[in-house]
Structure formats: structure tokens, C-alpha cells
Amino acid sequence: MFCFMVEMERIVKANDREYNEKFQYVDNRIHTSKYSILTFLPINLFEQFQRVANAYFLCLLILQLIPEISSLTWFTTIVPLVLVITMTAVKDATDDYFRHKSDNQVNNRQSEVLIDSKLQNEKWMNVKVGDIIKLENNQFVAADLLLLSSSEPHGLCYVETAELDGETNLKVRHALSVTSELGADINRLARFDGIVVCEAPNNKLDKFMGILSWKDSKHSLNNEKIILRGCILRNTSWCFGMVIFAGPDTKLMQNSGKTKFKRTSIDRLMNALVLWIFGFLICLGIILAIGNSIWESQIGDQFRTFLFWNEGEKSSVFSGFLTFWSYIIILNTVVPISLYVSVEVIRLGHSYFINWDRKMYYSRKATPAEARTTTLNEELGQIEYIFSDKTGTLTQNIMTFKRCSINGRIYGEVPDDLDQKTEITQKKEPVDFSVKSQVDREFQFFDHNLMESIKMGDPKVHEFLRVLALCHTVMSEENSAGELIYQVQSPDEGALVTAARNFGFIFKSRTPETITIEELGTLVTYQLLAFLDFNNTRKRMSVIVRNPEGQIKLYSKGADTILFEKLHPSNEVLLSLTSDHLSEFAGEGLRTLAIAYRDLDDKYFKEWHKMLEDANAATEERDERIAGLYEEIERDLMLLGATAVEDKLQEGVIETVASLSLANIKIWVLTGDKQETAINIGYACNMLTDDMNDVFVIAGNNAVEVREELRKAKENLSGQNRNVSNGHVVCEKKQQLELDSIVEETVTGDYALIINGHSLAHALESDVKNDLLELACMCKTVVCCRVTPLQKAQVVELVKKYRNAVTLAIGDGANDVSMIKSAHIGVGISGQEGLQAVLASDYSFAQFRYLQRLLLVHGRWSYFRMCKFLCYFFYKNFAFTLVHFWFGFFCGFSAQIALDTSYWTFINHVFIWGSIAIYFSILFTMHSNGIFGIFPNQFPFVGNARHSLTQKCIWLVILLTTVASVLPVVVFKFLKVNLYPTLSDQIRRWQKAQKKARPPSSRRPRTRRSSSRRSGYAFAHQEGYGELITSGKNMRTKNPPPTSGLEKTHYNSTSWIENLCKKTTETVSSFSQDKTVKL
């Protein structure tokens, strides 16, 4: 008897496979396929016979094997049934073969494993828990590892987590100091016998708890000590790690959803229709069976003499019983199996239409659209909700320095008199940076005025660019070709430092005490006195440096809403100008940042620095004291200007989002990126706008706070419709779905919901998720930030389950796979993050903009054609079947067929193929150039249609026919709406009256939303990297140009959005007594 225990904690001993095997941990082999050689046949047959029609025809085949009741040969049923099942099985087997191929490719990757005191190449699938693995630069991580040592100082290593959270920024991981001393010494690593006791396998990407016991001491472990499977080692020559979780237990696989068998709504409809038609068929069989019994008892006795029956051998009741089953077989053509064959052929044709669509072909990468399944085409025309990833799906994740404001003057792409900004970039030559060395060749800037100001020696422009070159957390290094390479904490910082680099202020290198830049060809080294790091409350960063002249400068950049409060009163005029420029930048979808500086007195700085050292050494209220000192020195700043960075969207994203919104399709953004970055993208895509009535931000840290925030948001949103909703309280629960849709229709404004990952985890609990769903569905836009791959799938499942809506998920990375598998339709974008999303998807293409054509063109065509086909097919088969029913009344209910099946099949083929052949023959003949030359006098009728349309009587007939056809319908609809209005009609009428009655002054003024796209960089930055720089832990002592990564810290970004959540509640007058809405 087997007993399966739930793993509560994991105990792993290094370099001891025998010890770890007693816990029966899984190996590192992964399986994403559905079938194996042994399970394919039973599982696939089980899935196929879930189709009611297949089960129906199987029962029919069994009946046809009984000679007493069958007047048709069993061959007519078994051949098409086997054909359909075989075709479907081959298709499913082909799809699963590619999954097996992908699994084998991953499982057979090579990794260096420490076995018997030496490194050996092992396949990934043979790696065991407790093994020590060596990773090299740019190599994928094979399993979830505890970092032991690395080539970097202090046991640091840098990883890219794009496959986990979609972020391409580098993250830093730290080894324990006791294990980092092991270095690359194989003998010492082989003797390492530490025991790790940690949490059981789970799907939480940002959390890990454990203890390492080694040498009679214990060391706590957290997420910063773990490298997860799916990461890529970057800028680190080598590192060693101990396998904690392998294969299916890794956090990446825990977050990947299971492959599900997807059916379309038409499949479900056909299943229901088959059941109803089968009931109709039984009724017909009963009627004919009763008729046979009556006929046998009253008339049939007269024929027994001729049929040589013995008296009493066959009773009328038994004859009716056999006749019932005979007619079930004969009338089975009411739902012939050819229906499913025809449906699959049509779907296959639609799939080829998608594959052949040149308008969905991406020429830059030679990537066509691909329908990876043939069973979901018509479902594309019924999508109600789209769940989209952000990075790589909506955006290119490329930041570009576009414009700036320096000392009250705008530099950058300025529109001409006709406001044709796109033509400026085409007609105007970009600034030529080729004469300079060490510039970024891909950087383009079209305003030559900035270069002229630099050449003229404008001190404000020089100081502005100097701030960009000094105030950042970028690390530099030189590659083998001698080119300067920047390792950036975020793409925003890379854009700003690259801009300064191309304009002549080149960041060269840094140490914990100095920053070296090249200013217009002159190498200048600044002494780094203090680094005032970014955090979520400050929304700014500052550096204090001493220049070669001995002057102490504080350079600061950050959110304008914060930095403007720190300015000296003498900046009032410049502040007004710069603020207008920022509003202009934000209106164009650019991410803005304010730049300022301050001259510091040497004596004052020494006193302040002494207080800072005391605060750092304090044991109580350390953070508060440091924050107070930062506030003290970051005041009386002098404003220099502002920057504007463009987060490049994919081409056509804005137009696609607008078109899909007009089609009443709701788009939800589910991203692992930071909340503020996602919000900025929402504004750039016009999913979020400054004209929205309100933007609700849910950022509670526990279930109670989340529930309260959801409740307040719902009250605020439905306040103007409170009278309508009060009338709905008496609804019964069975009307809840209808009530929700009505409540959605009563929302007269535009609202948005933004929720982060830790709040979403509480909101998805059973007692809160209904509130979340109700609020989200009443909002025009929903943005979920910092969500794990599993949470993405849970959000999709929530909408699928409770809204009964058709959903589509689109993404480009491994972190989107579970979401793609959970949705009714999964779309993969072949982007920068590999092909995992494509392999798990139902459809794939290269750009987000192709989604519009996939849904609104191919989806509509497929759905329309399929519905027309089904209507015609059921009509045709009912007509054919009822002939046999009627014939039963003329043949004594003897279960004889009126039309021979072979004859009917022949007629079908003649009419179908013959009509197609004749149609195309006539068509080609009528449009052939040669036929007119051969018979010039035989085609006098060509062109008659054009001439007939010139006659007035023809147009009069067309007009009268149209009016006669349309007028009765219009009159009927008009009378019905006015005399017997539905609840929805009453609400719509009330909404129109409210909009007309609302005074113009109550309209929300078009004001700048201070926290929309403004200062996007400051919000998107991360805390903690400044301390890493000044500590020197990430500096190579032998190699001055260091490599870099980014320390990943988690924080709650709530306070900044307070300005965003200023709500204006409009008071709406209640319904009059005679227009009260009742359910």
C-alpha cells in the first residue's frame, strides 16, 4: 500500500546522493507533454469520446451490428468514425511530438556537476538534489541553486530573470561569506557537506526561507542567496551552486500551468445540439414504433400469409420495439458524422488563411503568423477579455532619449508649423556623432541646437549633461574590442547616460570613492563624497562630489512632484516654464525626470557628513535619521531642467488597443514589472488617460486592507449610480450574472484599476475575489503589477469561471506560459525572450499589432462562416431525414429507407463538385480574353447589368423593396422599445437623460495628472544599489572597469500614487418615482 506524504520542509545534504535519495526527491527531468507511448491511445480516445457525437456514433455502430434491427451496413458508420478519430489523433500526436522534442532538448542540455571530487559533464535530466553545479557566463541555470561562490568579489553574481518575471534588468545575488571562501577550489567544494533545511517546493518567486548548517554553525538563507531555474548568468565568469529544487519542484515549473484540452463554444454548442437532436430522434423513433405496433396489430396480419410467418411468432409490441431501434439507425443522418469531418476541414482551411496572410508577416525577422491549432479559429471572433503581458509584448523594452528642457528652453524633436512631427524625423538630418569616439551608433537626435549650445560653452547645458553623467548607478566595462559597455540598473538610466555620452560627457569608470568622466575630450575625475540612494518615498537620487577645482556639488534627479518642492525660491520663473514643458512631454507619452543641483559649503558638508556617519552607526531609528539628513541637505536646489525618455512601444500598439476597445474587448495588463513602469506604459498605450474619472490603486498588505480598499473603490465608482443599484438588492442569486452586466452598463465614466502582486494574492482568496472581479469588470482598464506567472493564470481562471466570457492571453516569455495555457486562446509573440510562449500557444506572430487582424478579420470570418455552414448543414440533413420519417407512413412503418445511401452519396458528390466545377468554368470563361476573340458575336449580354442600372425604374424598385422590407421591422422595434421597454432600455434612457441634464461646469476639467507619465524613471528605479556601489563589494580590485548587476529589493510603492487618487464624486439625482427600476 502506497502512502503519499505532503512535503512540509526540505532537507538537503551537499555532495551526498545516498542521503538525499531516502527522501525520494524528483530528478531534474521535466515533462510538458500530454502523452507517452503507453498513455496516448487511452487518453486520446477518452478525450475524443468526450464529444457527444463521437459517443453517439459509437453506440450507433453497436446497434448496426445487430442484424435484427439494422437495415444499413455497419460499414457506413465505422469508416467515417475511424477516419475522424484517426485524423484527430494524428493531429494531437503531432502537437505532442513537438512538446516531447522541446522537452528532450532541454533535458539533454549539458552542465558541469561535481561528482567524485571532479567536474563531469552531465545532462540536465541526470542532475540530482544536493549536487554542486558549476555555471559559466551566459549559461542557463539548470535547477534552483543555493549560490556558494563566484568569480566576483564577496561572492556576488549577476543574473537575468527575463523568463521568470519578464524583466531584462540584471539582478544581483549574494553568496554567504562562509561559502564564498570556497572559491573555485574543487577539493574544498567536494568536501563541503552542509545541510540545508528549507521550505517545501512552492511557486513564490520572490520568497525563500531556509537555514544552512555547516561547521557547527547555522546561517539563515533568503531569496538573495538563491538562483532560480530559467535565469541566465551574466557578467560573471563562473559560479558554483548547490541544487535545492530540481525538475518539477523548481519555482519555474511550479508556476507553469498544465496543458489543457481546449474546446470552442461552437463545440459545446454542437454537443448540446446533438443531445437535443438525439432527444428529437428518440421522439421520432417512438412515434414510428407506435405506428408500427398499430399497423402490425390491425393490418400486418393480412401480409403474414405472403411472408410465411408462423402464427404468433412475432407480436406487435415486439415488432414496435425492434422498429424503434431500426429507425434510430435510419434517421441517424439528422446528425451525420460528416458534420465533424466538414467542420475540421473548414477549420483547417481557416488555419491556412492565417498562415498565408501577408499582412501578418513580419519582414524584419521573416516571421509569418502561425496557427498552431486548427480547432479554435471561430473562437477568435468571440473574445471579450484580453490578458496581455507588458515587456516585449506591448513594448520593445527600449528607452530612447527624445527631448529635454534646459534652463527654460526645449531641445529635441519640435513640430513644424503644420505640427507634422513624423515628417521632421524624415526630412531633417540627425545630429552627426560619427566624428566622436566611443559613442553609441544607434543613438539619434534631430535637434542641432543642443550641439550648438554645447559648442558655444553654455554653462547650464554643460552642467545639465554633467548631472546625467555623474548621478546614476550605471557600471562600465570594456569588451574585447575596446568598446565601452554600460551595465544599467534600468533602461531609463541607460538612455540618460547614453545621451550624455553622445553629447560629449562620457561616463568612463567608477570606484567606491571616485567617478571618472570625459568632458568634451578632457578626462575629469570627481571624488564621490556621498551617494544618496533612491527609495520609494524619496523618489529621487543624489550624489555629492568634489570636482578638481575643490568645489563640492550636490547633483540630484528625480520626480518633478518631489524635486520641485526642494527648489530655492529664486527658481520660480524657471519652475513655471519647466513645468509647462513637462506637461507637454507627458502629453506625448514620454517619461519625464527633473534635474537640479546645489553648491555646498565645505564646512557645512563636513558637519552634515559627521551626522550621517553617526546615523549609520545608530542602532535605533537608523533609517529615520538617515532620511532626515537626506531631506536636510537636499533643499534650496537650483533647477537645471528636465529630461523626456520614450519607452518605445511596438509599432501599431496604440491603434490596436483603440480598435479592440471599440470592439468592446477589455484589455487587462498582467506584468511582473514594477507598478509605476506598468502605469507609464498604460498611459503611453492610451489605456490610461488623464481624462479618466478615477484610477483606483489597491496596495493593501493583508486581506482586511485589500477588502476595505476594494469596498471603498466600489462605493466611489457606483456612487453616482447608487439609486440604480439599490433597486437591484432584491434580486435573487440566480440573476446575479445578469445583474453584474446591468451594473456594468450603468457605469457612465471611465475608471481604471491598478493592483500589485502582494495585494492580488489576498484579493484572489475565496472571500475577496468576487469583490475584485466585480470592481475590475466595471473598470475600463485593469493593470496587475508584480504578479507571478501563477497569479497571471489565476486571474484568467477567475474571469473564465465567473464571467463565462471567452478569454485570450498574449505574451512572449516563459513567465507567460501558464497564462497562455489557462486562457481559452493563447497567443505567443516570437520576441526577445525565447520561444517558450510560442511553443505553448495556439497562435503565434511577431508583433502585437497583428492581434487586431487575427481577431477582427480572421476571427470574424471564421465565426461567420462556421455559423452559416452549421445552419445550412442542419437544414440539409433535417430535410433529408424527415423524408424517411414521412416515408414510414407509406411503407407500413417497416423501417425501409426511401433513398438508397449510395444513391444519396452519389447525388451529394455530383451536386457539390459538379456545381463548383460548373461555377468556376463559367467564371473563367466569362473573364477569359481569348473567348471574346473566338466568339465576338456570341456575348451581346455582357454589360447589360451596367446599362440596366441607368434606368430609373430599377432604382425605384430597389428603393421600394428596401423600404417595404425594413419599415415593418423598424416600426416593430420602435413600438416595443417605447411600449414595453426592458430594464436595460430604461437604464440607457436614464443615462442619456442624465448626460443631457448634467451642467457643463460639472465636467471634469482637462488637468495635468501629476503622477501619470511624469517622472516615470524616478518611480521605476530600485533602492539599494547605491549602498552596493559605495561599499565596493561589486568592484574588481585587479580590473578597474567593473561589471555590474542590480540588487533586487522589494518594496511597497503606494505613497506616490496618492496624488493620482484624488477623486471627484459627482452627485446624480435619483430616479423619479414613476421611473424606479425594479427587478
Side-chain angles (χ1 to χ4, degrees):
M1 180 176 178
F2 296 92
C3 181
F4 297 97
M5 300 292 292
V6 177
E7 186 176 353
M8 302 303 296
E9 66 176 9
R10 172 155 293 201
I11 303 174
V12 182
K13 187 175 182 180
N15 292 315
D16 195 340
R17 288 192 173 185
E18 292 183 2
Y19 177 86
N20 297 321
E21 282 176 358
K22 68 181 182 180
F23 297 104
Q24 298 181 352
Y25 296 137
V26 296
D27 57 21
N28 205 35
R29 186 191 300 267
I30 63 167
H31 300 277
T32 60
S33 54
K34 293 171 59 177
Y35 314 109
S36 66
I37 295 177
L38 296 178
T39 62
F40 171 75
L41 196 59
I43 294 179
N44 190 261
L45 288 177
F46 174 75
E47 289 177 346
Q48 291 202 56
F49 281 108
Q50 283 183 320
R51 282 183 171 179
V52 177
N54 287 346
Y56 164 68
F57 285 111
L58 180 63
C59 297
L60 192 66
L61 175 63
I62 296 173
L63 291 177
Q64 286 183 319
L65 295 175
I66 304 175
E68 286 80 5
I69 61 175
S70 177
S71 57
L72 297 175
T73 174
W74 56 269
F75 186 81
T76 59
T77 300
I78 193 171
V79 171
L81 179 63
V82 170
L83 180 63
V84 170
I85 291 176
T86 302
M87 290 174 57
T88 307
V90 169
K91 180 179 67 67
D92 293 341
T94 303
D95 293 341
D96 205 59
Y97 166 75
F98 287 108
R99 297 191 191 99
H100 275 283
K101 189 176 180 180
S102 175
D103 291 344
N104 291 333
Q105 183 181 359
V106 173
N107 290 329
N108 289 313
R109 287 178 179 172
Q110 296 291 321
S111 185
E112 290 187 279
V113 182
L114 187 59
I115 301 176
D116 297 332
S117 300
K118 58 182 179 181
L119 289 174
Q120 300 180 12
N121 283 330
E122 281 282 354
K123 294 180 180 179
W124 277 23
M125 60 183 177
N126 296 329
V127 172
K128 304 292 184 182
V129 172
D131 287 350
I132 292 180
I133 295 178
K134 180 184 179 181
L135 297 176
E136 295 182 348
N137 193 31
N138 297 327
Q139 189 175 354
F140 278 96
V141 180
D144 291 354
L145 308 177
L146 168 65
L147 180 61
L148 298 178
S149 62
S150 76
S151 59
E152 301 300 298
H154 306 282
L156 300 183
C157 79
Y158 306 100
V159 294
E160 182 183 294
T161 60
E163 287 198 10
L164 295 173
D165 54 21
E167 294 186 11
T168 56
N169 306 334
L170 298 183
K171 311 292 191 304
V172 65
R173 294 291 181 261
H174 303 258
L176 290 169
S177 58
V178 293
T179 61
S180 63
E181 298 173 356
L182 298 174
D185 190 335
I186 301 300
N187 293 327
R188 296 182 64 186
L189 287 166
R191 291 195 301 269
F192 176 70
D193 59 352
I195 297 179
V196 174
V197 180
C198 64
E199 60 189 18
N202 59 72
N203 53 41
K204 297 178 181 178
L205 296 175
D206 58 348
K207 183 181 178 182
F208 180 83
M209 297 177 60
I211 295 175
L212 170 65
S213 301
W214 188 44
K215 292 184 178 178
D216 300 327
S217 59
K218 294 185 178 181
H219 310 275
S220 62
L221 304 176
N222 57 28
N223 202 50
E224 301 302 316
K225 309 294 189 296
I226 301 297
I227 309 176
L228 300 181
R229 179 181 180 132
C231 295
I232 303 176
L233 191 67
R234 298 292 193 193
N235 300 324
T236 307
S237 299
W238 52 263
C239 74
F240 286 88
M242 169 185 170
V243 178
I244 304 297
F245 300 124
D249 290 342
T250 58
K251 293 182 181 288
L252 175 65
M253 298 305 297
Q254 291 279 314
N255 274 282
S256 63
K258 295 181 179 179
T259 302
K260 298 181 179 179
F261 183 65
K262 296 183 178 181
R263 291 190 185 89
T264 66
S265 56
I266 285 188
D267 278 335
R268 293 188 289 270
L269 173 64
M270 285 196 297
N271 283 344
L273 287 176
V274 167
L275 291 176
W276 282 103
I277 293 173
F278 184 67
F280 175 70
L281 181 60
I282 291 177
C283 293
L284 293 182
I286 292 175
I287 293 172
L288 294 171
I290 293 174
N292 178 266
S293 296
I294 296 174
W295 189 88
E296 285 288 344
S297 61
Q298 296 183 2
I299 305 174
D301 292 339
Q302 302 174 13
F303 291 86
R304 293 196 176 186
T305 305
F306 304 101
L307 296 176
F308 305 104
W309 283 1
N310 296 324
E311 189 69 26
E313 182 178 332
K314 187 176 181 183
S315 67
S316 59
V317 175
F318 184 68
S319 175
F321 174 77
L322 294 180
T323 302
F324 169 79
W325 294 109
S326 297
Y327 271 111
I328 291 294
I329 296 173
I330 291 175
L331 301 180
N332 76 84
T333 50
V334 72
V335 187
I337 199 168
S338 59
L339 168 66
Y340 288 91
V341 178
S342 304
V343 166
E344 291 297 331
V345 170
I346 293 174
R347 286 172 172 169
L348 182 63
H350 288 158
S351 299
Y352 278 109
F353 289 157
I354 295 173
N355 296 342
W356 293 338
D357 193 343
R358 291 187 177 183
K359 293 185 178 180
M360 297 174 67
Y361 177 78
Y362 191 54
S363 57
R364 293 182 185 177
K365 294 185 178 180
T367 305
E370 181 183 3
R372 298 175 55 82
T373 180
T374 60
T375 58
L376 301 173
N377 297 324
E378 64 271 11
E379 201 83 334
L380 293 169
Q382 306 172 75
I383 300 297
E384 298 179 49
Y385 288 87
I386 294 176
F387 301 91
S388 174
D389 181 37
K390 181 192 75 68
T391 306
T393 303
L394 298 176
T395 70
Q396 302 178 33
N397 203 30
I398 299 175
M399 305 294 176
T400 306
F401 183 85
K402 301 296 287 185
R403 304 178 69 181
C404 62
S405 171
I406 305 176
N407 199 28
R409 180 180 178 182
I410 291 181
Y411 297 94
E413 297 176 340
V414 183
D416 59 9
D417 295 336
L418 299 177
D419 199 24
Q420 298 292 328
K421 185 163 65 173
T422 56
E423 294 184 5
I424 284 288
T425 62
Q426 296 171 359
K427 295 179 180 179
K428 199 166 185 179
E429 291 294 327
V431 177
D432 184 13
F433 297 109
S434 61
V435 295
K436 300 181 180 181
S437 60
Q438 294 186 335
V439 297
D440 188 342
R441 305 295 177 186
E442 297 181 0
F443 179 80
Q444 284 189 328
F445 200 76
F446 291 86
D447 191 353
H448 294 256
N449 294 324
L450 182 55
M451 287 299 297
E452 293 175 1
S453 298
I454 295 172
K455 291 176 182 178
M456 293 172 60
D458 189 328
K460 293 293 185 182
V461 174
H462 284 198
E463 193 76 348
F464 180 88
L465 296 173
R466 189 175 291 115
V467 174
L468 299 186
L470 290 172
C471 185
H472 55 76
T473 59
V474 174
M475 304 297 292
S476 65
E477 64 178 0
E478 289 188 0
N479 61 13
S480 57
E483 297 176 350
L484 193 62
I485 304 297
Y486 289 153
Q487 300 296 338
V488 298
Q489 184 266 345
S490 69
D492 307 75
E493 277 210 327
L496 297 178
V497 177
T498 299
R501 169 183 176 176
N502 280 58
F503 288 119
F505 288 75
I506 305 173
F507 167 65
K508 301 289 288 186
S509 63
R510 71 160 76 243
T511 69
E513 296 83 20
T514 63
I515 301 176
T516 302
I517 65 174
E518 182 182 320
E519 299 182 359
L520 301 176
T522 304
L523 210 60
V524 182
T525 299
Y526 291 83
Q527 183 182 356
L528 180 60
L529 302 178
F531 196 107
L532 283 58
D533 201 5
F534 169 91
N535 68 28
N536 185 49
T537 305
R538 288 165 37 78
K539 299 183 178 66
R540 63 190 182 276
M541 83 161 53
S542 302
V543 294
I544 302 176
V545 297
R546 189 192 301 273
N547 62 20
E549 290 77 24
Q551 298 173 330
I552 299 178
K553 298 269 191 177
L554 181 145
Y555 294 129
S556 184
K557 66 180 181 183
D560 58 286
T561 53
I562 302 296
L563 213 60
F564 284 176
E565 298 175 358
K566 309 294 181 183
L567 297 179
H568 192 274
S570 62
N571 290 269
E572 185 175 351
V573 177
L574 182 58
L575 171 62
S576 177
L577 276 174
T578 306
S579 183
D580 292 339
H581 295 166
L582 284 169
S583 297
E584 180 182 338
F585 297 160
E588 296 173 7
L590 304 178
R591 304 174 65 168
T592 60
L593 194 67
I595 306 294
Y597 75 101
R598 179 187 178 188
D599 293 318
L600 298 177
D601 179 73
D602 197 357
K603 181 180 178 182
Y604 169 74
F605 172 73
K606 288 181 179 178
E607 294 175 355
W608 177 86
H609 195 265
K610 179 65 170 62
M611 290 188 292
L612 181 63
E613 289 177 346
D614 295 339
N616 282 319
T619 57
E620 296 181 358
E621 299 183 348
R622 175 179 176 272
D623 293 339
E624 290 78 4
R625 292 177 60 181
I626 293 175
L629 290 171
Y630 285 179
E631 291 286 335
E632 179 185 335
I633 202 168
E634 290 175 324
R635 58 183 175 84
D636 293 335
L637 301 176
M638 302 301 294
L639 182 63
L640 283 172
T643 62
V645 173
E646 180 185 28
D647 187 359
K648 279 195 173 181
L649 297 173
Q650 287 193 12
E651 185 181 347
V653 166
I654 297 177
E655 294 80 3
T656 301
V657 170
S659 298
L660 295 176
S661 299
L662 289 175
N664 202 27
I665 297 174
K666 293 187 176 182
I667 303 177
W668 292 19
V669 178
L670 310 178
T671 176
D673 212 338
K674 293 173 284 294
Q675 175 174 301
E676 297 77 13
T677 307
I679 290 175
N680 284 319
I681 295 301
Y683 279 100
C685 298
N686 289 340
M687 286 189 286
L688 299 174
T689 64
D690 289 328
D691 295 330
M692 281 186 162
N693 296 61
D694 217 332
V695 178
F696 305 114
V697 179
I698 309 300
N701 294 314
N702 54 59
V704 176
E705 292 180 5
V706 171
R707 186 186 294 108
E708 184 64 20
E709 290 178 4
L710 290 172
R711 185 187 61 81
K712 289 181 179 179
K714 286 171 60 179
E715 290 179 355
N716 191 357
L717 188 147
S718 58
Q720 57 182 321
N721 307 290
R722 191 178 303 277
N723 294 324
V724 178
S725 60
N726 285 343
H728 297 163
V729 176
V730 297
C731 280
E732 296 184 6
K733 191 148 187 175
K734 65 181 180 180
Q735 296 173 318
Q736 187 62 38
L737 188 62
E738 180 183 355
L739 176 60
D740 289 341
S741 62
I742 292 172
V743 171
E744 288 182 41
E745 291 184 4
T746 64
V747 178
T748 56
D750 289 338
Y751 297 87
L753 173 66
I754 298 166
I755 184 169
N756 52 36
H758 61 268
S759 300
L760 184 63
H762 299 296
L764 290 173
E765 296 177 0
S766 58
D767 56 338
V768 186
K769 60 185 179 184
N770 289 331
D771 295 331
L772 170 67
L773 184 63
E774 184 179 347
L775 175 63
C777 291
M778 288 189 288
C779 293
K780 180 180 179 181
T781 301
V782 178
V783 179
C784 301
C785 320
R786 283 295 185 195
V787 292
T788 65
L790 188 63
Q791 284 178 329
K792 292 183 179 183
Q794 289 174 338
V795 172
V796 175
E797 290 288 353
L798 183 67
V799 175
K800 282 176 60 179
K801 182 177 180 181
Y802 292 99
R803 300 302 299 174
N804 196 26
V806 182
T807 59
L808 180 146
I810 179 170
D812 71 321
N815 58 318
D816 304 314
V817 168
S818 56
M819 172 178 70
I820 287 172
K821 290 180 178 179
S822 297
H824 290 99
I825 294 177
V827 177
I829 292 182
S830 51
Q832 305 293 330
E833 299 181 21
L835 296 176
Q836 288 84 356
V838 172
L839 293 174
S841 66
D842 304 305
Y843 300 89
S844 67
F845 40 71
Q847 294 280 287
F848 180 83
R849 68 177 186 269
Y850 298 146
L851 183 64
Q852 176 182 351
R853 184 166 178 82
L854 181 69
L855 300 187
L856 304 185
V857 177
H858 291 286
R860 180 181 179 275
W861 282 353
S862 299
Y863 186 65
F864 183 77
R865 290 165 178 161
M866 189 63 71
C867 292
K868 286 287 186 182
F869 165 76
L870 290 178
C871 290
Y872 164 74
F873 204 93
F874 281 114
Y875 159 75
K876 175 177 71 74
N877 287 284
F878 266 90
F880 174 69
T881 303
L882 293 178
V883 168
H884 292 86
F885 176 76
W886 187 246
F887 182 68
F889 290 89
F890 295 92
C891 67
F893 306 98
S894 58
Q896 300 299 313
I897 56 176
L899 301 172
D900 184 57
T901 54
S902 58
Y903 166 77
W904 176 248
T905 303
F906 174 76
I907 293 297
N908 254 339
H909 281 277
V910 168
F911 272 89
I912 293 175
W913 302 113
S915 60
I916 293 176
I918 293 173
Y919 170 77
F920 280 104
S921 298
I922 296 175
L923 182 68
F924 291 148
T925 300
M926 295 298 298
H927 293 81
S928 171
N929 294 328
I931 200 71
F932 288 96
I934 299 173
F935 305 105
N937 298 324
Q938 301 301 318
F939 294 91
F941 55 86
V942 175
N944 277 1
R946 183 179 67 239
H947 295 305
S948 64
L949 291 178
T950 60
Q951 301 180 21
K952 296 180 181 180
C953 62
I954 297 294
W955 290 105
L956 179 61
V957 171
I958 294 174
L959 177 63
L960 292 176
T961 305
T962 304
V963 172
S965 302
V966 174
L967 190 60
V969 179
V970 174
V971 172
F972 174 76
K973 293 285 186 182
F974 176 79
L975 294 176
K976 182 180 178 181
V977 170
N978 285 275
L979 298 180
Y980 303 101
T982 63
L983 176 60
S984 298
D985 294 332
Q986 296 179 35
I987 292 176
R988 291 192 188 97
R989 191 184 303 167
W990 172 77
Q991 288 177 345
K992 291 179 181 178
Q994 291 299 114
K995 289 181 179 179
K996 291 181 180 179
R998 188 179 300 162
S1001 59
S1002 66
R1003 290 177 62 87
R1004 188 180 181 90
R1006 187 178 181 87
T1007 58
R1008 172 177 61 85
R1009 192 183 294 275
S1010 60
S1011 298
S1012 60
R1013 287 160 294 199
R1014 297 276 292 272
S1015 307
Y1017 159 74
F1019 297 143
H1021 208 278
Q1022 289 186 349
E1023 180 183 5
Y1025 198 72
E1027 182 179 352
L1028 187 64
I1029 289 175
T1030 54
S1031 67
K1033 288 184 176 180
N1034 62 334
M1035 305 294 178
R1036 293 194 179 98
T1037 56
K1038 295 181 180 179
N1039 252 338
T1043 59
S1044 167
L1046 166 64
E1047 180 174 7
K1048 179 179 178 182
T1049 57
H1050 298 276
Y1051 49 84
N1052 299 326
S1053 56
T1054 56
S1055 60
W1056 75 272
I1057 205 70
E1058 291 175 357
N1059 291 331
L1060 190 65
C1061 289
K1062 292 180 181 177
K1063 305 174 179 63
T1064 57
T1065 308
E1066 298 176 350
T1067 306
V1068 180
S1069 59
S1070 61
F1071 280 121
S1072 59
Q1073 185 65 28
D1074 59 327
K1075 294 199 175 185
T1076 301
V1077 179
K1078 296 181 181 180
L1079 291 179

